Amino acid sequence: MKEIKKIGLLTSGGDAPGMNAAIRAIVRGAAYHGIEVTGIRRGFAGLIGRDFQKFNRRSVANIIQRGGTILETSRCNDMYSVEGRKKAIDALKGEGIDGCVVVGGDGSFQAASLMCQESDIAFIGVPGTIDNDIWGTDYTIGYQTAVNTALDAIDRIRDTASAFERVFFVEVMGRKSGFLAIAVGLAGGAEQIIIPEIKMDMEKLCHNLKESFKSGKRSSIIVVAEGNQVEDTINIAKYVELRLKIECRLCTLGHIQRGGSPTARDRILASFLGVAAIDALLEGKSDQAVGEVKGKIVLTPFKETWEKKKEIDHRFLKIMPILSS
Ligand code: F6P
């Protein structure tokens, strides 16, 4: 087993609230065991460009409450090629790094996994994305904050929806998954949710809305995940407007959901997972991601994190029609 004396640390892909809390936990977890930490700025792009910064316990003071990532991040296409990854591996070796912690989503884990096979450097992933679409953890860092942020926006939108008796389509993030949409939809009292996992029939949507108007409802909120299989949200709203001859509005929450101070739950999750990532490296683990499943810290092979599909909780969908009637 290779001794870990120095680790690299980077954040990659979409930033998520709680990434800074994870950085803090990883740096302090490493310092606790006398391991040196090199912070890699701007994700894999910064790694290839050797954008390094020495980190110690004090470098991560006062960041637990901050959104974004102090290391900055990137989506780096170079990591899809062997040449790109070779540059990244050479950069890590040049810095004398034995192990690397990657905080990010499944795309980042795929790059890290390939580098495990192409080098003797150990890689451990910490799942950070507001989408919550990573197998091997009940929640990803950032998801629970993003739900609350989107919910806050929906509560405000509801004021206008009811004042004007309008139907509002609220688009939330979630490129390939409806985790954000189902949680925000249920907690925000939405009439309906439209998610990538379930094909939605536009006629059925119109029928449901018509029925709810008949029962006396005067305004409605429909939460749409950006990656839904039906249509662009604007086209869904236009279709409903024309079909039912009612006034609809669209609000795309967009990157508002990604920013802001992490909730206590995300800070706690990030703290546990950050420390667990260091423990995993010390135990000689590699090519795996840490996660929390049913309150227990677990390790999952990188490959499974994107190959296995985390199911949305169908209980949400079951009670939605009961509650919105
Ligand atoms: O992966 C997280 C995420 O926020 C997705 O929900 C969204 O589709 C995407 O990132 C947006 O990415 P970018 O900020 O690069 O446009």
Side-chain angles (χ1 to χ4, degrees):
M1 194 168 93
K2 197 173 152 198
E3 197 192 345
I4 304 283
K5 293 198 200 108
K6 189 175 191 178
I7 63 157
L9 165 60
L10 61 84
T11 50
S12 171
D15 56 287
M19 277 188 168
N20 283 325
I23 291 170
R24 173 180 178 269
I26 293 159
V27 171
R28 293 203 171 159
Y32 179 81
H33 292 285
I35 301 169
E36 271 185 74
V37 181
T38 295
I40 302 160
R41 303 181 58 76
R42 300 184 294 109
F44 288 117
L47 172 57
I48 290 173
R50 303 190 182 209
D51 195 350
F52 297 142
Q53 186 184 344
K54 290 255 162 298
F55 266 55
N56 61 33
R57 314 187 117 266
R58 296 277 69 79
S59 327
V60 292
N62 302 322
I63 65 165
I64 196 167
Q65 79 287 6
R66 283 171 60 184
T69 157
I70 60 160
L71 278 172
E72 299 179 22
T73 183
S74 60
R75 299 193 193 275
C76 179
N77 289 334
D78 287 342
M79 296 306 286
Y80 293 116
S81 71
V82 181
E83 303 82 62
R85 292 193 299 275
K86 165 120 185 26
K87 284 184 199 160
I89 290 165
D90 287 347
L92 290 170
K93 287 202 177 283
E95 182 68 11
I97 287 170
D98 321 292
C100 192
V101 182
V102 174
V103 185
D106 56 358
S108 313
F109 292 173
Q110 289 186 31
S113 183
L114 287 167
M115 286 197 287
C116 289
Q117 289 147 37
E118 294 161 359
S119 75
D120 63 348
I121 300 168
F123 284 86
I124 292 291
V126 174
T129 164
I130 64 164
D131 288 357
N132 196 31
D133 57 350
I134 299 181
W135 176 267
T137 190
D138 288 342
Y139 298 109
T140 53
I141 296 167
Y143 168 69
Q144 304 187 75
T145 305
V147 169
N148 285 341
T149 306
L151 188 59
D152 182 55
I154 289 200
D155 289 347
R156 288 158 200 264
I157 290 166
R158 182 174 288 287
D159 291 346
T160 299
S162 53
F164 270 95
E165 302 191 349
R166 278 175 183 161
V167 172
F168 260 90
F169 288 81
V170 182
E171 186 185 282
V172 298
M173 277 188 166
R175 208 180 349 210
K176 293 172 281 174
S177 64
F179 289 101
L180 259 177
I182 58 167
V184 166
L186 183 65
E191 174 83 24
Q192 203 136 345
I193 54 159
I194 303 178
I195 54 173
E197 289 85 345
I198 289 170
K199 187 116 178 71
M200 168 58 138
D201 175 350
M202 298 261 257
E203 275 309 305
K204 189 157 174 259
L205 169 67
C206 291
H207 171 79
N208 291 350
L209 279 169
K210 220 153 84 192
E211 289 302 305
S212 67
F213 292 142
K214 268 195 215 155
S215 78
K217 217 172 198 182
R218 304 263 58 95
S219 66
S220 275
I221 289 183
I222 296 165
V223 174
V224 188
E226 62 169 342
N228 82 83
Q229 306 283 308
V230 189
E231 260 291 357
D232 283 349
T233 313
I234 179 86
N235 293 334
I236 303 176
K238 277 189 190 148
Y239 183 91
V240 171
E241 197 162 50
L242 287 173
R243 184 85 175 77
L244 299 182
K245 297 186 180 47
I246 52 168
E247 208 177 1
C248 294
R249 287 288 186 273
L250 162 66
C251 181
T252 303
L253 298 186
H255 290 80
I256 283 172
Q257 294 154 98
R258 283 239 298 258
S261 181
T263 58
R265 294 189 76 156
D266 269 325
R267 296 181 202 193
I268 292 165
L269 178 66
S271 300
F272 276 116
L273 296 187
V275 170
I278 296 299
D279 289 344
L281 283 173
L282 285 171
E283 287 162 16
K285 303 277 173 29
S286 180
D287 207 2
Q288 298 177 66
V290 291
E292 190 184 75
V293 176
K294 294 191 171 78
K296 293 227 160 40
I297 299 297
V298 296
L299 279 165
T300 301
F302 269 148
K303 207 166 186 290
E304 288 182 16
T305 63
W306 66 84
E307 278 191 355
K308 291 196 173 173
K309 183 112 184 75
K310 192 153 93 185
E311 286 265 323
I312 52 157
D313 188 339
H314 285 269
R315 290 175 311 155
F316 282 66
L317 304 176
K318 216 166 165 188
I319 66 167
M320 283 282 297
I322 301 170
L323 300 178
S324 64
S325 60

Short mmCIF file of all heavy atoms in Angstrom, two decimals, residues 163-215:
data_model
loop_
_atom_site.label_atom_id
_atom_site.label_comp_id
_atom_site.label_asym_id
_atom_site.label_seq_id
_atom_site.Cartn_x
_atom_site.Cartn_y
_atom_site.Cartn_z
N ALA A 163 -52.46 36.36 -6.65
CA ALA A 163 -52.97 37.72 -6.83
C ALA A 163 -53.56 37.91 -8.22
O ALA A 163 -54.53 38.64 -8.40
CB ALA A 163 -51.85 38.73 -6.58
N PHE A 164 -52.98 37.26 -9.21
CA PHE A 164 -53.41 37.45 -10.60
C PHE A 164 -54.22 36.27 -11.15
O PHE A 164 -54.59 36.25 -12.31
CB PHE A 164 -52.19 37.64 -11.51
CG PHE A 164 -51.77 39.06 -11.67
CD1 PHE A 164 -50.78 39.61 -10.88
CD2 PHE A 164 -52.37 39.87 -12.64
CE1 PHE A 164 -50.39 40.92 -11.02
CE2 PHE A 164 -51.98 41.19 -12.80
CZ PHE A 164 -50.99 41.73 -11.99
N GLU A 165 -54.43 35.26 -10.34
CA GLU A 165 -55.12 34.05 -10.79
C GLU A 165 -54.46 33.47 -12.04
O GLU A 165 -55.07 33.28 -13.09
CB GLU A 165 -56.61 34.33 -11.04
CG GLU A 165 -57.30 34.86 -9.81
CD GLU A 165 -58.81 34.90 -9.92
OE1 GLU A 165 -59.33 34.70 -11.04
OE2 GLU A 165 -59.46 35.12 -8.89
N ARG A 166 -53.17 33.23 -11.91
CA ARG A 166 -52.41 32.74 -13.05
C ARG A 166 -51.87 31.34 -12.83
O ARG A 166 -51.74 30.89 -11.70
CB ARG A 166 -51.17 33.63 -13.26
CG ARG A 166 -51.45 34.90 -14.01
CD ARG A 166 -50.19 35.72 -14.03
NE ARG A 166 -50.42 36.99 -14.70
CZ ARG A 166 -49.63 38.04 -14.55
NH1 ARG A 166 -48.59 37.98 -13.74
NH2 ARG A 166 -49.88 39.15 -15.19
N VAL A 167 -51.48 30.72 -13.95
CA VAL A 167 -50.74 29.46 -13.86
C VAL A 167 -49.26 29.81 -14.09
O VAL A 167 -48.92 30.44 -15.09
CB VAL A 167 -51.22 28.45 -14.91
CG1 VAL A 167 -50.31 27.22 -14.93
CG2 VAL A 167 -52.66 28.03 -14.61
N PHE A 168 -48.43 29.42 -13.14
CA PHE A 168 -47.00 29.67 -13.26
C PHE A 168 -46.26 28.37 -13.52
O PHE A 168 -46.46 27.38 -12.80
CB PHE A 168 -46.45 30.27 -11.96
CG PHE A 168 -46.28 31.77 -12.02
CD1 PHE A 168 -47.31 32.61 -11.64
CD2 PHE A 168 -45.08 32.32 -12.45
CE1 PHE A 168 -47.15 33.99 -11.69
CE2 PHE A 168 -44.92 33.70 -12.51
CZ PHE A 168 -45.95 34.54 -12.13
N PHE A 169 -45.42 28.38 -14.53
CA PHE A 169 -44.50 27.26 -14.76
C PHE A 169 -43.16 27.68 -14.19
O PHE A 169 -42.62 28.72 -14.59
CB PHE A 169 -44.37 26.98 -16.26
CG PHE A 169 -45.61 26.35 -16.83
CD1 PHE A 169 -46.71 27.12 -17.17
CD2 PHE A 169 -45.67 24.97 -16.98
CE1 PHE A 169 -47.85 26.52 -17.67
CE2 PHE A 169 -46.82 24.37 -17.48
CZ PHE A 169 -47.91 25.15 -17.83
N VAL A 170 -42.67 26.93 -13.24
CA VAL A 170 -41.38 27.26 -12.63
C VAL A 170 -40.37 26.20 -13.02
O VAL A 170 -40.54 25.01 -12.70
CB VAL A 170 -41.50 27.35 -11.09
CG1 VAL A 170 -40.16 27.75 -10.48
CG2 VAL A 170 -42.58 28.33 -10.68
N GLU A 171 -39.35 26.63 -13.75
CA GLU A 171 -38.33 25.66 -14.18
C GLU A 171 -37.19 25.61 -13.17
O GLU A 171 -36.59 26.63 -12.85
CB GLU A 171 -37.79 26.04 -15.56
CG GLU A 171 -36.84 24.98 -16.10
CD GLU A 171 -36.20 25.37 -17.41
OE1 GLU A 171 -36.86 25.27 -18.44
OE2 GLU A 171 -35.02 25.79 -17.37
N VAL A 172 -36.93 24.40 -12.69
CA VAL A 172 -35.80 24.22 -11.77
C VAL A 172 -34.70 23.44 -12.49
O VAL A 172 -34.93 22.84 -13.53
CB VAL A 172 -36.22 23.48 -10.46
CG1 VAL A 172 -37.25 24.27 -9.70
CG2 VAL A 172 -36.72 22.07 -10.74
N MET A 173 -33.49 23.46 -11.93
CA MET A 173 -32.37 22.75 -12.55
C MET A 173 -32.58 21.23 -12.41
O MET A 173 -33.43 20.78 -11.66
CB MET A 173 -31.05 23.17 -11.95
CG MET A 173 -30.52 24.45 -12.59
SD MET A 173 -28.86 24.80 -12.03
CE MET A 173 -28.39 26.06 -13.22
N GLY A 174 -31.74 20.51 -13.10
CA GLY A 174 -31.84 19.04 -13.11
C GLY A 174 -31.76 18.60 -14.56
O GLY A 174 -32.77 18.43 -15.23
N ARG A 175 -30.51 18.51 -15.02
CA ARG A 175 -30.28 18.22 -16.43
C ARG A 175 -30.84 16.86 -16.83
O ARG A 175 -31.44 16.71 -17.86
CB ARG A 175 -28.78 18.26 -16.69
CG ARG A 175 -28.45 18.64 -18.08
CD ARG A 175 -26.98 18.67 -18.33
NE ARG A 175 -26.18 18.57 -17.13
CZ ARG A 175 -25.00 19.11 -17.01
NH1 ARG A 175 -24.52 19.84 -17.99
NH2 ARG A 175 -24.26 18.93 -15.94
N LYS A 176 -30.59 15.86 -15.95
CA LYS A 176 -31.03 14.51 -16.30
C LYS A 176 -31.94 13.92 -15.23
O LYS A 176 -32.31 12.76 -15.30
CB LYS A 176 -29.80 13.59 -16.45
CG LYS A 176 -28.91 13.93 -17.63
CD LYS A 176 -27.63 13.12 -17.60
CE LYS A 176 -26.65 13.68 -16.61
NZ LYS A 176 -25.44 12.95 -16.36
N SER A 177 -32.26 14.69 -14.22
CA SER A 177 -32.99 14.10 -13.10
C SER A 177 -34.00 15.07 -12.49
O SER A 177 -33.86 16.28 -12.58
CB SER A 177 -32.00 13.67 -12.02
OG SER A 177 -31.37 14.82 -11.52
N GLY A 178 -35.00 14.46 -11.84
CA GLY A 178 -36.07 15.26 -11.26
C GLY A 178 -36.03 15.35 -9.75
O GLY A 178 -37.04 15.69 -9.12
N PHE A 179 -34.87 15.07 -9.14
CA PHE A 179 -34.80 15.09 -7.67
C PHE A 179 -35.17 16.47 -7.11
O PHE A 179 -35.94 16.58 -6.16
CB PHE A 179 -33.41 14.70 -7.18
CG PHE A 179 -33.11 13.25 -7.38
CD1 PHE A 179 -32.33 12.82 -8.43
CD2 PHE A 179 -33.63 12.29 -6.52
CE1 PHE A 179 -32.07 11.48 -8.63
CE2 PHE A 179 -33.37 10.95 -6.70
CZ PHE A 179 -32.59 10.54 -7.77
N LEU A 180 -34.58 17.51 -7.70
CA LEU A 180 -34.90 18.86 -7.22
C LEU A 180 -36.37 19.15 -7.44
O LEU A 180 -37.06 19.65 -6.54
CB LEU A 180 -34.09 19.89 -8.03
CG LEU A 180 -32.84 20.49 -7.43
CD1 LEU A 180 -32.16 21.43 -8.41
CD2 LEU A 180 -33.17 21.23 -6.14
N ALA A 181 -36.86 18.83 -8.62
CA ALA A 181 -38.24 19.17 -8.98
C ALA A 181 -39.26 18.49 -8.06
O ALA A 181 -40.22 19.14 -7.62
CB ALA A 181 -38.51 18.80 -10.43
N ILE A 182 -39.04 17.21 -7.72
CA ILE A 182 -40.06 16.55 -6.90
C ILE A 182 -40.08 17.11 -5.47
O ILE A 182 -41.14 17.32 -4.90
CB ILE A 182 -39.97 14.99 -6.86
CG1 ILE A 182 -38.62 14.50 -6.37
CG2 ILE A 182 -40.33 14.37 -8.20
CD1 ILE A 182 -38.62 13.00 -6.05
N ALA A 183 -38.89 17.40 -4.95
CA ALA A 183 -38.85 17.93 -3.57
C ALA A 183 -39.44 19.34 -3.52
O ALA A 183 -40.27 19.66 -2.66
CB ALA A 183 -37.41 17.94 -3.07
N VAL A 184 -39.03 20.16 -4.49
CA VAL A 184 -39.51 21.54 -4.53
C VAL A 184 -41.01 21.57 -4.83
O VAL A 184 -41.77 22.35 -4.26
CB VAL A 184 -38.72 22.31 -5.62
CG1 VAL A 184 -39.36 23.61 -5.95
CG2 VAL A 184 -37.28 22.50 -5.19
N GLY A 185 -41.43 20.68 -5.72
CA GLY A 185 -42.84 20.63 -6.11
C GLY A 185 -43.73 20.25 -4.93
O GLY A 185 -44.74 20.90 -4.66
N LEU A 186 -43.32 19.22 -4.22
CA LEU A 186 -44.14 18.78 -3.08
C LEU A 186 -44.14 19.82 -1.97
O LEU A 186 -45.19 20.22 -1.47
CB LEU A 186 -43.63 17.43 -2.55
CG LEU A 186 -44.45 16.85 -1.41
CD1 LEU A 186 -45.85 16.48 -1.87
CD2 LEU A 186 -43.79 15.62 -0.83
N ALA A 187 -42.94 20.29 -1.61
CA ALA A 187 -42.84 21.26 -0.50
C ALA A 187 -43.45 22.61 -0.88
O ALA A 187 -43.88 23.35 0.00
CB ALA A 187 -41.38 21.42 -0.09
N GLY A 188 -43.48 22.92 -2.17
CA GLY A 188 -44.02 24.22 -2.60
C GLY A 188 -45.49 24.15 -2.94
O GLY A 188 -46.07 25.13 -3.41
N GLY A 189 -46.11 23.00 -2.73
CA GLY A 189 -47.55 22.87 -2.98
C GLY A 189 -47.90 22.97 -4.46
O GLY A 189 -48.95 23.52 -4.82
N ALA A 190 -47.02 22.46 -5.32
CA ALA A 190 -47.28 22.58 -6.76
C ALA A 190 -48.45 21.70 -7.18
O ALA A 190 -48.77 20.69 -6.55
CB ALA A 190 -46.04 22.16 -7.54
N GLU A 191 -49.09 22.13 -8.26
CA GLU A 191 -50.21 21.39 -8.84
C GLU A 191 -49.69 20.11 -9.51
O GLU A 191 -50.29 19.06 -9.44
CB GLU A 191 -50.84 22.31 -9.91
CG GLU A 191 -51.92 21.72 -10.74
CD GLU A 191 -53.26 21.80 -10.02
OE1 GLU A 191 -53.40 22.67 -9.15
OE2 GLU A 191 -54.13 20.97 -10.31
N GLN A 192 -48.55 20.27 -10.15
CA GLN A 192 -48.01 19.16 -10.94
C GLN A 192 -46.50 19.33 -11.08
O GLN A 192 -46.00 20.45 -11.02
CB GLN A 192 -48.63 19.22 -12.32
CG GLN A 192 -48.61 17.93 -13.00
CD GLN A 192 -49.95 17.63 -13.70
OE1 GLN A 192 -50.96 18.28 -13.45
NE2 GLN A 192 -49.94 16.68 -14.56
N ILE A 193 -45.79 18.23 -11.30
CA ILE A 193 -44.36 18.33 -11.62
C ILE A 193 -44.07 17.58 -12.91
O ILE A 193 -44.72 16.58 -13.19
CB ILE A 193 -43.44 17.82 -10.50
CG1 ILE A 193 -43.82 16.40 -10.12
CG2 ILE A 193 -43.41 18.71 -9.29
CD1 ILE A 193 -42.69 15.68 -9.43
N ILE A 194 -43.13 18.10 -13.66
CA ILE A 194 -42.75 17.46 -14.92
C ILE A 194 -41.25 17.16 -14.83
O ILE A 194 -40.45 18.08 -14.65
CB ILE A 194 -43.06 18.39 -16.12
CG1 ILE A 194 -44.56 18.75 -16.10
CG2 ILE A 194 -42.68 17.72 -17.43
CD1 ILE A 194 -45.01 19.70 -17.20
N ILE A 195 -40.91 15.87 -14.91
CA ILE A 195 -39.52 15.47 -14.68
C ILE A 195 -39.02 14.53 -15.79
O ILE A 195 -39.83 13.89 -16.45
CB ILE A 195 -39.36 14.78 -13.30
CG1 ILE A 195 -40.35 13.60 -13.15
CG2 ILE A 195 -39.53 15.76 -12.17
CD1 ILE A 195 -40.14 12.78 -11.90
N PRO A 196 -37.69 14.45 -15.96
CA PRO A 196 -37.15 13.60 -17.03
C PRO A 196 -37.51 12.13 -16.88
O PRO A 196 -37.64 11.42 -17.87
CB PRO A 196 -35.63 13.77 -16.90
CG PRO A 196 -35.42 14.95 -16.07
CD PRO A 196 -36.63 15.16 -15.23
N GLU A 197 -37.67 11.66 -15.65
CA GLU A 197 -37.88 10.23 -15.40
C GLU A 197 -39.25 9.76 -15.85
O GLU A 197 -39.47 8.57 -16.05
CB GLU A 197 -37.73 9.91 -13.90
CG GLU A 197 -36.32 10.00 -13.36
CD GLU A 197 -35.93 11.42 -12.95
OE1 GLU A 197 -36.63 12.38 -13.33
OE2 GLU A 197 -34.91 11.56 -12.26
N ILE A 198 -40.21 10.68 -15.99
CA ILE A 198 -41.57 10.27 -16.32
C ILE A 198 -42.10 11.08 -17.49
O ILE A 198 -42.08 12.33 -17.46
CB ILE A 198 -42.49 10.41 -15.08
CG1 ILE A 198 -42.08 9.30 -14.10
CG2 ILE A 198 -43.96 10.28 -15.45
CD1 ILE A 198 -42.69 9.41 -12.76
N LYS A 199 -42.53 10.39 -18.52
CA LYS A 199 -43.01 11.08 -19.71
C LYS A 199 -44.38 11.69 -19.40
O LYS A 199 -45.27 11.05 -18.89
CB LYS A 199 -43.12 10.08 -20.87
CG LYS A 199 -43.46 10.70 -22.19
CD LYS A 199 -42.32 10.52 -23.20
CE LYS A 199 -42.67 11.10 -24.56
NZ LYS A 199 -42.72 12.55 -24.59
N MET A 200 -44.50 12.97 -19.72
CA MET A 200 -45.73 13.68 -19.37
C MET A 200 -46.54 13.94 -20.64
O MET A 200 -45.99 14.33 -21.67
CB MET A 200 -45.32 14.98 -18.68
CG MET A 200 -46.41 15.97 -18.52
SD MET A 200 -47.71 15.21 -17.59
CE MET A 200 -48.19 16.45 -16.53
N ASP A 201 -47.83 13.70 -20.55
CA ASP A 201 -48.71 13.94 -21.68
C ASP A 201 -49.31 15.35 -21.53
O ASP A 201 -49.97 15.65 -20.53
CB ASP A 201 -49.78 12.83 -21.63
CG ASP A 201 -50.86 13.00 -22.67
OD1 ASP A 201 -50.90 14.06 -23.32
OD2 ASP A 201 -51.66 12.06 -22.82
N MET A 202 -49.10 16.20 -22.53
CA MET A 202 -49.55 17.60 -22.44
C MET A 202 -51.08 17.70 -22.33
O MET A 202 -51.60 18.57 -21.65
CB MET A 202 -49.09 18.38 -23.68
CG MET A 202 -47.60 18.44 -23.79
SD MET A 202 -46.95 19.96 -23.19
CE MET A 202 -46.62 20.74 -24.75
N GLU A 203 -51.76 16.78 -23.02
CA GLU A 203 -53.23 16.81 -22.95
C GLU A 203 -53.71 16.47 -21.54
O GLU A 203 -54.66 17.06 -21.04
CB GLU A 203 -53.83 15.80 -23.95
CG GLU A 203 -53.99 16.37 -25.35
CD GLU A 203 -54.74 17.72 -25.35
OE1 GLU A 203 -55.86 17.79 -24.82
OE2 GLU A 203 -54.19 18.70 -25.88
N LYS A 204 -52.97 15.53 -20.92
CA LYS A 204 -53.34 15.14 -19.55
C LYS A 204 -53.11 16.33 -18.61
O LYS A 204 -53.92 16.60 -17.72
CB LYS A 204 -52.49 13.94 -19.13
CG LYS A 204 -52.95 13.32 -17.84
CD LYS A 204 -52.49 11.87 -17.72
CE LYS A 204 -52.82 11.32 -16.37
NZ LYS A 204 -51.69 11.28 -15.46
N LEU A 205 -51.99 17.01 -18.84
CA LEU A 205 -51.69 18.19 -18.03
C LEU A 205 -52.83 19.21 -18.15
O LEU A 205 -53.31 19.74 -17.14
CB LEU A 205 -50.35 18.79 -18.50
CG LEU A 205 -49.96 20.15 -17.98
CD1 LEU A 205 -49.66 20.08 -16.48
CD2 LEU A 205 -48.71 20.68 -18.71
N CYS A 206 -53.27 19.47 -19.39
CA CYS A 206 -54.36 20.44 -19.61
C CYS A 206 -55.64 19.95 -18.95
O CYS A 206 -56.37 20.73 -18.31
CB CYS A 206 -54.60 20.64 -21.11
SG CYS A 206 -53.24 21.50 -21.90
N HIS A 207 -55.90 18.66 -19.08
CA HIS A 207 -57.11 18.09 -18.48
C HIS A 207 -57.09 18.30 -16.96
O HIS A 207 -58.08 18.75 -16.37
CB HIS A 207 -57.20 16.60 -18.84
CG HIS A 207 -58.28 15.88 -18.11
ND1 HIS A 207 -59.60 15.95 -18.49
CD2 HIS A 207 -58.24 15.11 -16.99
CE1 HIS A 207 -60.32 15.24 -17.64
NE2 HIS A 207 -59.51 14.72 -16.72
N ASN A 208 -55.95 17.98 -16.35
CA ASN A 208 -55.84 18.13 -14.89
C ASN A 208 -56.06 19.57 -14.45
O ASN A 208 -56.72 19.84 -13.46
CB ASN A 208 -54.47 17.66 -14.40
CG ASN A 208 -54.30 16.17 -14.54
OD1 ASN A 208 -55.26 15.47 -14.83
ND2 ASN A 208 -53.07 15.69 -14.38
N LEU A 209 -55.48 20.49 -15.22
CA LEU A 209 -55.63 21.90 -14.87
C LEU A 209 -57.10 22.32 -14.99
O LEU A 209 -57.63 23.03 -14.12
CB LEU A 209 -54.77 22.78 -15.79
CG LEU A 209 -53.28 22.88 -15.41
CD1 LEU A 209 -52.49 23.55 -16.51
CD2 LEU A 209 -53.11 23.65 -14.10
N LYS A 210 -57.74 21.87 -16.06
CA LYS A 210 -59.15 22.20 -16.28
C LYS A 210 -60.00 21.70 -15.11
O LYS A 210 -60.85 22.42 -14.59
CB LYS A 210 -59.62 21.53 -17.58
CG LYS A 210 -60.52 22.44 -18.38
CD LYS A 210 -60.51 22.19 -19.81
CE LYS A 210 -61.30 21.22 -20.51
NZ LYS A 210 -61.03 20.91 -21.83
N GLU A 211 -59.71 20.48 -14.71
CA GLU A 211 -60.46 19.89 -13.59
C GLU A 211 -60.27 20.70 -12.31
O GLU A 211 -61.20 20.94 -11.56
CB GLU A 211 -60.01 18.44 -13.33
CG GLU A 211 -60.45 17.46 -14.38
CD GLU A 211 -61.95 17.43 -14.56
OE1 GLU A 211 -62.67 17.23 -13.56
OE2 GLU A 211 -62.41 17.65 -15.71
N SER A 212 -59.01 21.14 -12.08
CA SER A 212 -58.78 21.89 -10.84
C SER A 212 -59.45 23.27 -10.89
O SER A 212 -59.92 23.76 -9.88
CB SER A 212 -57.29 21.97 -10.50
OG SER A 212 -56.62 22.74 -11.42
N PHE A 213 -59.53 23.85 -12.10
CA PHE A 213 -60.25 25.14 -12.21
C PHE A 213 -61.73 24.92 -11.91
O PHE A 213 -62.37 25.71 -11.23
CB PHE A 213 -60.10 25.76 -13.60
CG PHE A 213 -58.70 26.22 -13.90
CD1 PHE A 213 -58.16 26.08 -15.17
CD2 PHE A 213 -57.91 26.80 -12.92
CE1 PHE A 213 -56.87 26.50 -15.45
CE2 PHE A 213 -56.62 27.21 -13.18
CZ PHE A 213 -56.10 27.06 -14.45
N LYS A 214 -62.24 23.80 -12.44
CA LYS A 214 -63.66 23.48 -12.21
C LYS A 214 -63.97 23.36 -10.72
O LYS A 214 -65.03 23.72 -10.25
CB LYS A 214 -64.01 22.15 -12.91
CG LYS A 214 -64.53 22.31 -14.31
CD LYS A 214 -65.17 21.00 -14.72
CE LYS A 214 -64.92 20.74 -16.20
NZ LYS A 214 -64.98 19.33 -16.53
N SER A 215 -62.97 22.83 -9.98
CA SER A 215 -63.20 22.63 -8.54
C SER A 215 -62.97 23.93 -7.75
O SER A 215 -63.03 23.93 -6.53
CB SER A 215 -62.28 21.53 -8.02
OG SER A 215 -60.97 22.04 -7.85
#
